[in-house]
Short mmCIF file of all heavy atoms in Angstrom, two decimals:
data_model
loop_
_atom_site.label_atom_id
_atom_site.label_comp_id
_atom_site.label_asym_id
_atom_site.label_seq_id
_atom_site.Cartn_x
_atom_site.Cartn_y
_atom_site.Cartn_z
N ASN A 7 105.62 73.86 112.13
CA ASN A 7 105.59 73.81 113.62
C ASN A 7 104.48 74.52 114.27
O ASN A 7 104.32 74.71 115.41
CB ASN A 7 106.90 74.30 114.14
CG ASN A 7 108.11 73.49 113.70
OD1 ASN A 7 107.96 72.32 113.34
ND2 ASN A 7 109.26 73.98 113.83
N LEU A 8 103.54 75.11 113.36
CA LEU A 8 102.32 75.74 113.84
C LEU A 8 101.18 74.69 113.80
O LEU A 8 101.06 73.86 112.88
CB LEU A 8 101.94 76.90 112.87
CG LEU A 8 102.97 77.98 112.86
CD1 LEU A 8 102.64 78.93 111.71
CD2 LEU A 8 102.98 78.74 114.13
N ALA A 9 100.36 74.69 114.87
CA ALA A 9 99.25 73.78 114.89
C ALA A 9 98.07 74.34 115.64
O ALA A 9 98.16 74.90 116.72
CB ALA A 9 99.65 72.55 115.70
N PRO A 10 96.85 74.28 114.97
CA PRO A 10 95.65 74.80 115.61
C PRO A 10 95.14 73.78 116.60
O PRO A 10 95.35 72.52 116.43
CB PRO A 10 94.67 75.00 114.47
CG PRO A 10 95.13 73.99 113.49
CD PRO A 10 96.64 73.80 113.57
N ASP A 11 94.54 74.27 117.66
CA ASP A 11 93.86 73.44 118.62
C ASP A 11 92.37 73.18 118.17
O ASP A 11 91.92 73.67 117.15
CB ASP A 11 94.01 73.89 120.10
CG ASP A 11 93.26 75.24 120.29
OD1 ASP A 11 92.39 75.55 119.56
OD2 ASP A 11 93.61 75.86 121.43
N SER A 12 91.68 72.44 119.02
CA SER A 12 90.27 72.05 118.64
C SER A 12 89.37 73.26 118.61
O SER A 12 88.27 73.18 118.08
CB SER A 12 89.82 70.94 119.58
OG SER A 12 89.79 71.43 120.92
N ASP A 13 89.77 74.40 119.25
CA ASP A 13 88.98 75.62 119.28
C ASP A 13 89.38 76.58 118.24
O ASP A 13 88.84 77.66 118.14
CB ASP A 13 89.05 76.26 120.70
CG ASP A 13 88.45 75.36 121.78
OD1 ASP A 13 87.29 74.88 121.51
OD2 ASP A 13 89.04 75.30 122.87
N GLY A 14 90.43 76.23 117.36
CA GLY A 14 90.79 77.06 116.29
C GLY A 14 91.87 78.13 116.60
O GLY A 14 92.21 78.87 115.77
N TYR A 15 92.45 77.98 117.82
CA TYR A 15 93.57 78.87 118.16
C TYR A 15 94.88 78.28 117.59
O TYR A 15 95.15 77.02 117.77
CB TYR A 15 93.70 79.09 119.61
CG TYR A 15 92.54 79.89 120.14
CD1 TYR A 15 91.32 79.35 120.54
CD2 TYR A 15 92.64 81.36 120.29
CE1 TYR A 15 90.26 80.17 121.02
CE2 TYR A 15 91.74 82.13 120.74
CZ TYR A 15 90.44 81.57 121.09
OH TYR A 15 89.37 82.31 121.58
N LEU A 16 95.67 79.12 117.06
CA LEU A 16 96.91 78.65 116.36
C LEU A 16 98.15 78.87 117.27
O LEU A 16 98.54 79.93 117.72
CB LEU A 16 97.16 79.46 115.02
CG LEU A 16 98.21 78.98 114.16
CD1 LEU A 16 97.88 77.55 113.58
CD2 LEU A 16 98.43 79.95 113.04
N TRP A 17 98.83 77.70 117.63
CA TRP A 17 99.91 77.66 118.48
C TRP A 17 101.20 77.34 117.71
O TRP A 17 101.17 76.48 116.75
CB TRP A 17 99.75 76.59 119.60
CG TRP A 17 98.53 76.84 120.42
CD1 TRP A 17 97.25 76.45 120.12
CD2 TRP A 17 98.47 77.56 121.69
NE1 TRP A 17 96.36 76.84 121.15
CE2 TRP A 17 97.16 77.52 122.06
CE3 TRP A 17 99.42 78.19 122.48
CZ2 TRP A 17 96.70 78.14 123.27
CZ3 TRP A 17 98.99 78.77 123.65
CH2 TRP A 17 97.71 78.75 124.04
N VAL A 18 102.40 77.82 118.18
CA VAL A 18 103.65 77.15 117.88
C VAL A 18 103.74 76.03 118.83
O VAL A 18 103.60 76.20 120.05
CB VAL A 18 104.85 78.23 118.11
CG1 VAL A 18 106.15 77.52 117.69
CG2 VAL A 18 104.57 79.42 117.23
N LYS A 19 104.00 74.84 118.24
CA LYS A 19 104.15 73.66 119.21
C LYS A 19 105.25 74.03 120.28
O LYS A 19 106.35 74.33 119.89
CB LYS A 19 104.62 72.52 118.42
CG LYS A 19 103.63 72.07 117.34
CD LYS A 19 104.16 70.91 116.39
CE LYS A 19 103.14 70.55 115.37
NZ LYS A 19 103.59 69.51 114.37
N PRO A 20 104.82 73.94 121.54
CA PRO A 20 105.68 74.37 122.66
C PRO A 20 107.08 73.73 122.68
O PRO A 20 108.06 74.37 122.87
CB PRO A 20 104.89 74.06 123.85
CG PRO A 20 103.51 74.08 123.49
CD PRO A 20 103.49 73.58 122.05
N ALA A 21 107.08 72.46 122.32
CA ALA A 21 108.40 71.77 122.30
C ALA A 21 109.37 72.26 121.17
O ALA A 21 110.60 72.08 121.22
CB ALA A 21 108.21 70.22 122.13
N LEU A 22 108.78 72.93 120.20
CA LEU A 22 109.50 73.39 119.07
C LEU A 22 109.61 74.93 119.03
O LEU A 22 110.08 75.48 118.04
CB LEU A 22 108.87 72.92 117.74
CG LEU A 22 108.86 71.38 117.57
CD1 LEU A 22 108.03 71.00 116.31
CD2 LEU A 22 110.18 70.76 117.65
N TYR A 23 109.14 75.49 120.12
CA TYR A 23 109.07 76.99 120.09
C TYR A 23 110.39 77.62 119.99
O TYR A 23 110.65 78.58 119.29
CB TYR A 23 108.38 77.46 121.39
CG TYR A 23 107.96 78.96 121.41
CD1 TYR A 23 106.66 79.31 120.96
CD2 TYR A 23 108.81 79.97 121.76
CE1 TYR A 23 106.24 80.61 120.86
CE2 TYR A 23 108.45 81.25 121.73
CZ TYR A 23 107.09 81.57 121.26
OH TYR A 23 106.83 82.92 121.16
N HIS A 24 111.38 77.07 120.73
CA HIS A 24 112.76 77.65 120.69
C HIS A 24 113.34 77.65 119.39
O HIS A 24 113.84 78.71 118.91
CB HIS A 24 113.65 76.88 121.69
CG HIS A 24 115.01 77.39 121.77
ND1 HIS A 24 116.12 76.70 121.35
CD2 HIS A 24 115.51 78.64 122.08
CE1 HIS A 24 117.23 77.40 121.50
NE2 HIS A 24 116.90 78.58 121.93
N GLU A 25 113.32 76.50 118.67
CA GLU A 25 113.90 76.49 117.32
C GLU A 25 113.15 77.16 116.31
O GLU A 25 113.66 77.63 115.24
CB GLU A 25 114.08 74.96 116.90
CG GLU A 25 112.74 74.23 116.65
CD GLU A 25 112.98 72.81 116.21
OE1 GLU A 25 113.45 71.98 117.06
OE2 GLU A 25 112.67 72.56 115.03
N SER A 26 111.82 77.45 116.54
CA SER A 26 110.90 78.08 115.57
C SER A 26 110.90 79.61 115.69
O SER A 26 110.98 80.29 114.72
CB SER A 26 109.53 77.62 115.73
OG SER A 26 109.42 76.23 115.61
N PHE A 27 110.95 80.03 116.97
CA PHE A 27 110.60 81.48 117.26
C PHE A 27 111.80 82.32 117.71
O PHE A 27 111.92 83.50 117.36
CB PHE A 27 109.50 81.56 118.28
CG PHE A 27 108.71 82.79 118.25
CD1 PHE A 27 107.46 82.99 117.66
CD2 PHE A 27 109.19 83.92 118.96
CE1 PHE A 27 106.75 84.13 117.73
CE2 PHE A 27 108.45 85.15 119.07
CZ PHE A 27 107.24 85.24 118.40
N CYS A 28 112.63 81.66 118.46
CA CYS A 28 113.65 82.42 119.24
C CYS A 28 114.90 81.61 119.42
O CYS A 28 115.45 81.49 120.52
CB CYS A 28 113.21 82.84 120.61
SG CYS A 28 112.50 81.52 121.60
N GLN A 29 115.51 81.06 118.35
CA GLN A 29 116.66 80.22 118.38
C GLN A 29 117.93 80.97 118.85
O GLN A 29 118.87 80.28 119.26
CB GLN A 29 116.92 79.55 117.06
CG GLN A 29 117.43 80.44 115.95
CD GLN A 29 116.37 81.13 115.18
OE1 GLN A 29 115.26 81.25 115.54
NE2 GLN A 29 116.71 81.71 113.99
N ASP A 30 117.96 82.25 118.89
CA ASP A 30 119.00 83.01 119.46
C ASP A 30 118.89 83.36 120.90
O ASP A 30 119.77 84.14 121.41
CB ASP A 30 119.37 84.27 118.57
CG ASP A 30 118.14 85.09 118.29
OD1 ASP A 30 117.04 84.72 118.81
OD2 ASP A 30 118.23 86.14 117.60
N LEU A 31 117.91 82.91 121.53
CA LEU A 31 117.76 82.87 123.01
C LEU A 31 118.23 81.56 123.62
O LEU A 31 118.42 80.64 122.81
CB LEU A 31 116.33 83.23 123.44
CG LEU A 31 115.79 84.65 122.99
CD1 LEU A 31 114.37 84.83 123.48
CD2 LEU A 31 116.68 85.73 123.52
N THR A 32 118.27 81.45 124.92
CA THR A 32 118.69 80.21 125.45
C THR A 32 117.52 79.24 125.35
O THR A 32 116.38 79.61 125.34
CB THR A 32 119.08 80.40 127.01
OG1 THR A 32 117.89 80.64 127.70
CG2 THR A 32 120.15 81.44 127.10
N PRO A 33 117.78 77.95 125.39
CA PRO A 33 116.75 76.85 125.41
C PRO A 33 115.81 77.12 126.50
O PRO A 33 114.55 76.94 126.36
CB PRO A 33 117.45 75.59 125.50
CG PRO A 33 118.74 75.84 124.93
CD PRO A 33 119.15 77.25 125.30
N THR A 34 116.24 77.48 127.62
CA THR A 34 115.34 77.71 128.82
C THR A 34 114.39 78.88 128.56
O THR A 34 113.20 78.84 128.80
CB THR A 34 116.10 77.98 130.17
OG1 THR A 34 116.95 76.81 130.38
CG2 THR A 34 115.21 78.26 131.27
N GLU A 35 114.89 80.04 127.97
CA GLU A 35 114.12 81.05 127.63
C GLU A 35 113.14 80.71 126.59
O GLU A 35 111.82 81.12 126.67
CB GLU A 35 114.95 82.23 127.14
CG GLU A 35 115.81 82.97 128.24
CD GLU A 35 116.82 83.88 127.55
OE1 GLU A 35 117.38 83.59 126.62
OE2 GLU A 35 117.02 84.97 128.23
N GLY A 36 113.52 79.89 125.65
CA GLY A 36 112.64 79.36 124.63
C GLY A 36 111.50 78.55 125.17
O GLY A 36 110.34 78.62 124.80
N LEU A 37 111.81 77.75 126.13
CA LEU A 37 110.80 76.89 126.87
C LEU A 37 109.76 77.73 127.54
O LEU A 37 108.56 77.50 127.40
CB LEU A 37 111.53 75.93 127.82
CG LEU A 37 110.58 75.06 128.69
CD1 LEU A 37 109.84 74.11 127.81
CD2 LEU A 37 111.40 74.35 129.71
N VAL A 38 110.21 78.74 128.30
CA VAL A 38 109.31 79.60 129.07
C VAL A 38 108.41 80.35 128.06
O VAL A 38 107.20 80.42 128.19
CB VAL A 38 110.11 80.62 129.91
CG1 VAL A 38 109.17 81.59 130.49
CG2 VAL A 38 110.84 79.86 131.01
N LEU A 39 108.99 80.92 126.97
CA LEU A 39 108.17 81.64 126.02
C LEU A 39 107.17 80.79 125.28
O LEU A 39 106.02 81.25 124.98
CB LEU A 39 109.10 82.38 125.02
CG LEU A 39 109.96 83.50 125.48
CD1 LEU A 39 110.97 84.03 124.40
CD2 LEU A 39 109.09 84.67 125.95
#
């Protein structure tokens, strides 16, 4: 669920951030983060 952009910066795919990074927070909190 990690993906670099065209400039080489590495992102957690925003739509998958909640399930990847913070699944024990609320989905809304995960969306914002």
